[in-house]
């Protein structure tokens, strides 16, 4: 079983829709959680990170962590065609250095 | 803006050649990583480093080696390149201050072995 599971998509939604991207994980030792956006042929760029359960909001993006369910989400409000990319979740341990990535979800926003 | 650089951006080489992919960061981060990523596919961890003189193998055995003689420099070497090594290689460094953790990625090296 993979430590981090992420639906690969592809996910296609119309412009303006609310997008929900999700990851589940199996290791309760994960302490911090990140979301990355990766455009085609580019390296991933950090979107959001959070250390605790609950919600964290940044503009149109909201990251949600539910440690009891081992489930994290990224919500994108008022989605734009420029949001079309692959989104990767990532998580790490509090004391170790290794970070684990999900396989990525390909998102397409239709104009 | 992240200060992590990879060279070369693109490389085409013949089978059997020895190559070194360079990665440098000017942020003073101790933790650095190499990932391999095929187009549209997930990231696979090849090697990582906790700091100077510390290196570990990741989940993917790519027949490569790394070194960490200086904090800012984490080169990846393929002793004998094969067509199966054709892929994109991404270098990253990790910063953790208090409760905030960020990983910064270089722009990648796209390697083609012919």
């Amino acid at each position: 079983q993979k430590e981090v599971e992420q639906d690969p998509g592809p996910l296609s939604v119309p412009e303006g829709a609310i997008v929900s991207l999700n990851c589940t994980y199996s290791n309760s030792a994960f302490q911090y959680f990140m979301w990355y956006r990766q455009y085609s042929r580019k390296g991933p760029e950090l979107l959001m990170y959070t250390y605790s359960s609950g919600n964290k909001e940044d503009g149109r993006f909201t990251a949600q962590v539910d440690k009891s369910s081992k489930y994290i989400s990224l919500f994108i409000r008022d989605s734009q065609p420029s949001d079309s990319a692959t989104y990767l979740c990532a998580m790490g341990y509090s004391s170790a250095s290794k970070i684990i990535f999900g396989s990525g979800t390909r998102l397409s926003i239709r104009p | 803006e992240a200060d992590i650089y990879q060279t070369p951006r693109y490389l085409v080489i013949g089978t059997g050649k020895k190559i070194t992919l360079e990665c440098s960061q000017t942020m003073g981060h101790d933790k650095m990583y190499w990932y391999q990523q095929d187009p549209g596919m997930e990231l696979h961890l090849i090697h990582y480093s906790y700091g100077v003189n510390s290196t570990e193998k990741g989940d993917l055995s790519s027949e490569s080696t790394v070194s960490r003689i200086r904090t800012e420099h984490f080169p990846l070497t393929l002793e004998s390149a094969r067509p199966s090594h054709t892929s994109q290689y991404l270098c990253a460094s990790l910063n953790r201050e208090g409760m905030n953790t960020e990983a910064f990625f270089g722009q990648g090296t796209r390697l083609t072995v012919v």
Side-chain angles (χ1 to χ4, degrees), chain A residues 2 31-32 34 36 38 40-46 49-51 56 88 93-104 106, chain B residues 9-10 31 33 35 37 40-43 45 48-50 59 88 90 94 96 98-108 110:
Chain A
K2 284 186 178 180
Q31 293 294 320
Y32 54 91
M34 296 165 277
Y36 288 82
Q38 184 176 25
S40 181
R41 297 182 176 272
K42 301 284 188 183
E45 56 175 326
L46 181 68
Y49 56 84
T50 181
Y51 189 79
K56 182 175 181 180
L88 302 108
Y93 307 103
S94 59
S95 57
S97 300
K98 199 169 166 180
I99 52 174
I100 311 295
F101 283 86
S103 56
R106 289 168 54 194
Chain B
R9 289 289 311 278
Y10 302 93
K31 304 170 185 65
Y33 306 80
Y35 290 89
Q37 186 183 36
M41 302 298 285
E42 60 193 281
L43 291 159
L45 181 65
Y48 59 105
S49 168
Y50 296 135
D59 303 318
Q88 175 166 254
L90 290 160
L94 187 72
R96 185 155 185 263
M99 292 190 175
N100 297 330
T101 297
E102 300 178 53
F104 298 92
F105 281 84
Q107 291 196 302
R110 189 166 296 278

